[in-house]
Amino acid sequence: MAYDLLIRGGRVVDGSGLPSYVADVAVKDGKVAEIGKIKDGATKTIDAGGLAVSPGFIDHHTHLDAQMLWDPYGTCEPQHGITSVVMGNCGLSLAPVRQGIEDAVVKSFVRVEAIPRKALEQGVKWNWRSYGDYLDNFEGKLGINVGGLVGHIAVRHHAMGEEAVERKATGAEVQKMRGLVLEAMEGGALGMSTNRNDRHMREDGKPVASRLADDDELFALCDVLAERNAGVIETILGRNKIEHFKWYHELAKRTQRPILWQSLQHRWAEPNLWREQLDAVEPIFKAGYQAYGLSMTVPLVRHFTLKDCQVFDEFPTWKNLMFLPVEVRKQAFADADTRKKMLAELTSSRETNYHKRWDIPKVERVANAENQKYVGKTLAELATMRNQAPLDAFLDLSLEENLETIFWNANNGGDSKAMGEILRSPYVLVGTSDAGAHVLFGADFGYGTILLGLWVRERQVMTLEQAVHKLTFHPASIFGLQDRGLLRPGYAADMAIFDPKTINAEEPEWANDYPAGSKRMVQRSVGLHYTIVNGTVINDQGHMTGELPGQVMRGPLYRQQKAAA
Amino acid sequence: MGVSYIPVARIGELAPGVMKEVDLGGRQVLVTLVEGKYFAFSRQCPHEEADLKTAGQILDGTKLRCNNHSYCFDLSTGECTLPRGGPPLTVLPAEERGEEICIKLEW
């Protein structure tokens, strides 16, 4: 057989953004060997007729630093077509480390990323010191490809010990940190990350170490990347402010490295902020520098009934009603004067997180068959159908169904027009899955499958080719991932094979697969048929094969050193 | 429009700092006594939904800290005081009425 693997008759969406086309893809020795009409056979053949064949997706914003140590697949990444992940975001990495500071790093992970302490204590063995040692630990043990950023928090603790959360660094300590960053980059880091989010604290309530760094320190560390012309600089400054863009511009100009900032997404409560952010970042790119904003694809959705509802807790009358016994609450909902108070609160000019709009919440499920016609309608549409005011239609439908009608609401990420512009922007890097973090709160492994299902198929805000580009070659280019993110001869044979007609993510669910019996949330996908890493199938129609073909993705300084040697 | 006083504890039942869980209309609420005053608030942290019965800790005065992420809230107002501007805690007015502690719900 000429080839190891042959994928026959799929629609190749190659990651470049160019129009897709029907072709066979042949794989040899872990690389794409040939694309087109292929005559030769292979040891294994997959019939991809009717399916899309794309490069494997690259999840560039994860906190899998610990999970990858016990879970070679970073479950549930491959279930969503993800073949490569980047760890070490938001200033947090598990290396470099020296004896005695391990717990300082754990304290930061436990609080900032909400990873159960007992899982970290059992799952992280600390058998490394440098960043390169840490990456070495993964060699030969990976199901997917893994790269990482060196985190400012670990670097600062390494140089300053516990005083890293107490004070400014001395000149000597900054020099020591510069040395640690260089060592990490030479060991294979893809860049560095820092964290100035004033909400990010350690387990003991102290600020994470990088928050104590002034611009002189931070810029001195970023200069290491500039001097060596390598790596990305990932940042989180906290609540979005337009003045942050001056800082991004200064850092991008000074280093000429790609800057990543968090984050932008449409919010109904601040409906123009995303536009202001895109307007603010454009001059940076126009000036010739790079400052990519990270955006999430997953709307922050709440499903609720008026029997159990927190959505309106910002409004005093609504809030009090939701704590009343249900029978009293129903009487109150039927009362005209109470409705007047409820409406007055919803139409006041007071700034709230709730959007106060009737054209966003929808009827998701009804209790009575005769109301089936309302399913999928917004409350504004419901009002028109029932020839009522929106509040009356909302409350009357609920009362008719004994408060069991299920409604859908999204305060963030729900506006198709805005999200279309955000997701299509060349200045926006799609994906903030936070995989491996906040594991008891949610699971967004499916940011890519949701991009393809919700935003491409259902809302048609971009083409399949544009979306796949955003999940593959776009991050691969920014992070400097060599020979990944495209389907081209010579590139790594990382692939996702999926059905564009059904691809999507399921709602998160509970699992018990973390160390020390810790629970966490996982997420399944729909329509994802195969995930292939370096030419080997790891996910065969939902079944994990147990193969470990993943590689450590090391950065350019490591590769240069290795080439020179 | 109306007002309801829903009894949630008897006077003397709560030791200072102890958090008693009660069900109000299907929602979980915690009631506590701090420096001679009663407070009632949602059992769920508004940040990442931690259970404040186990993760919540009363600090000085009327400050409640969620030990999941160290977010702090003023129990009088629900305001998130650390970090400033964080999501507010849902609080309900609690008052003594005769021998009982009641939650006052006005609508």
Side-chain angles (χ1 to χ4, degrees), chain B residues 69-92:
Chain B
H69 284 96
S70 299
Y71 274 46
C72 294
F73 305 92
D74 184 331
L75 286 176
S76 306
T77 62
E79 182 193 1
C80 183
T81 54
L82 183 68
R84 286 270 173 210
L89 178 69
T90 297
V91 295
L92 297 166

Side-chain angles (χ1 to χ4, degrees), chain A residues 223-520:
Chain A
D223 283 347
V224 174
L225 277 62
E227 289 156 14
R228 300 302 297 269
N229 191 31
V232 301
I233 300 164
E234 193 262 355
T235 67
I236 179 165
L237 300 190
R239 286 172 79 86
N240 291 300
K241 291 181 185 161
I242 292 303
E243 56 261 37
H244 288 161
F245 288 85
K246 283 186 188 156
W247 191 86
Y248 300 139
H249 197 147
E250 185 183 353
L251 186 58
K253 183 176 179 182
R254 177 185 176 117
T255 61
Q256 292 189 265
R257 303 306 315 157
I259 309 301
L260 309 179
W261 53 273
Q262 299 180 59
S263 59
L264 81 174
Q265 190 182 38
H266 176 262
R267 293 182 69 236
W268 288 110
E270 294 176 285
N272 298 318
L273 180 62
W274 66 274
R275 169 74 71 196
E276 291 165 14
Q277 290 174 302
L278 286 183
D279 288 347
V281 81
E282 188 166 27
I284 304 176
F285 282 92
K286 288 261 162 79
Y289 309 111
Q290 304 170 77
Y292 293 96
L294 271 53
S295 184
M296 194 39 163
T297 61
V298 186
L300 184 60
V301 168
R302 288 282 178 268
H303 312 269
F304 67 94
T305 67
L306 290 183
K307 206 174 243 180
D308 180 10
C309 174
Q310 301 163 35
V311 171
F312 302 104
D313 275 7
E314 295 169 276
F315 305 101
T317 300
W318 288 77
K319 176 183 76 176
N320 287 348
L321 288 166
M322 300 306 170
F323 286 98
L324 282 173
V326 169
E327 288 310 314
V328 181
R329 194 184 316 166
K330 282 160 65 178
Q331 288 169 23
F333 282 155
D335 176 61
D337 289 335
T338 304
R339 289 191 181 192
K340 271 187 202 158
K341 276 182 84 175
M342 294 170 80
L343 187 62
E345 290 175 5
L346 270 192
T347 51
S348 78
S349 56
R350 187 169 66 92
E351 220 172 83
T352 57
N353 191 44
Y354 186 72
H355 44 62
K356 299 190 270 196
R357 296 170 62 127
W358 297 110
D359 59 345
I360 296 164
K362 290 188 285 196
V363 179
E364 182 169 283
R365 196 180 305 167
V366 291
N368 301 339
E370 68 266 25
N371 290 328
Q372 193 63 32
K373 58 185 178 284
Y374 300 133
V375 170
K377 304 296 180 191
T378 66
L379 295 186
E381 291 167 333
L382 177 75
T384 304
M385 289 173 78
R386 293 171 63 105
N387 198 23
Q388 285 184 293
L391 178 67
D392 293 331
F394 177 36
L395 296 179
D396 284 347
L397 175 63
S398 288
L399 286 169
E400 287 164 20
E401 300 202 322
N402 197 28
L403 306 191
E404 286 175 0
T405 320
I406 299 176
F407 297 93
W408 176 103
N409 182 57
N411 284 338
N412 292 6
D415 181 59
S416 294
K417 192 166 180 295
M419 285 303 292
E421 285 196 53
I422 292 167
L423 296 172
R424 287 192 303 268
S425 169
Y427 312 140
V428 170
L429 185 54
V430 169
T432 321
S433 82
D434 268 352
H438 312 286
V439 296
L440 298 170
F441 181 64
D444 286 331
F445 299 100
Y447 76 96
T449 45
I450 285 173
L451 178 68
L452 300 170
L454 175 65
W455 299 108
V456 173
R457 186 179 60 249
E458 291 178 25
R459 304 212 183 162
Q460 301 178 10
V461 304
M462 63 205 306
T463 66
L464 180 63
E465 288 86 348
Q466 287 173 319
V468 167
H469 172 75
K470 283 285 192 173
L471 296 173
T472 58
F473 193 54
H474 197 238
S477 304
I478 294 165
F479 281 83
L481 304 182
Q482 198 175 33
D483 299 336
R484 298 191 194 275
L486 278 180
L487 286 186
R488 292 276 196 278
Y491 272 65
D494 296 338
M495 284 178 263
I497 303 178
F498 59 93
D499 185 347
K501 296 187 291 302
T502 58
I503 187 85
N504 221 326
E506 299 271 27
E507 287 290 321
E509 60 189 283
W510 288 104
N512 279 301
D513 62 351
Y514 253 35
S518 301
K519 285 202 312 181
R520 67 157 181 152

Side-chain angles (χ1 to χ4, degrees), chain A residues 134-157:
Chain A
Y134 169 68
L135 292 179
D136 287 347
N137 209 61
F138 293 110
E139 292 287 1
K141 301 174 189 165
L142 293 170
I144 57 175
N145 306 308
V146 171
L149 309 175
V150 60
H152 192 175
I153 292 166
V155 166
R156 206 167 201 267
H157 276 296

Side-chain angles (χ1 to χ4, degrees), chain B:
Chain B
M1 292 195 287
V3 57
S4 271
Y5 293 92
I6 301 176
V8 289
R10 297 192 62 77
I11 299 285
E13 178 186 336
L14 291 178
V18 167
M19 289 188 250
K20 179 183 178 183
E21 65 266 34
V22 293
D23 182 299
L24 287 188
R27 290 183 62 175
Q28 294 293 305
V29 172
L30 296 174
V31 183
T32 191
L33 172 64
V34 182
E35 295 179 354
K37 277 192 74 181
Y38 291 97
F39 296 93
F41 51 97
S42 168
R43 184 168 173 169
Q44 195 174 62
C45 178
H47 174 228
E48 287 207 347
E49 302 179 2
D51 181 358
L52 292 170
K53 171 75 177 169
T54 50
Q57 185 182 354
I58 307 288
L59 302 179
D60 53 314
T62 58
K63 197 197 273 184
L64 172 82
R65 182 169 75 191
C66 172
N67 283 326
N68 203 30
H69 284 96
S70 299
Y71 274 46
C72 294
F73 305 92
D74 184 331
L75 286 176
S76 306
T77 62
E79 182 193 1
C80 183
T81 54
L82 183 68
R84 286 270 173 210
L89 178 69
T90 297
V91 295
L92 297 166
E95 57 183 68
E96 295 179 33
R97 287 177 68 82
E99 292 300 304
E100 292 177 321
I101 317 303
C102 292
I103 307 295
K104 183 183 178 186
L105 296 175
E106 275 186 288
W107 68 93

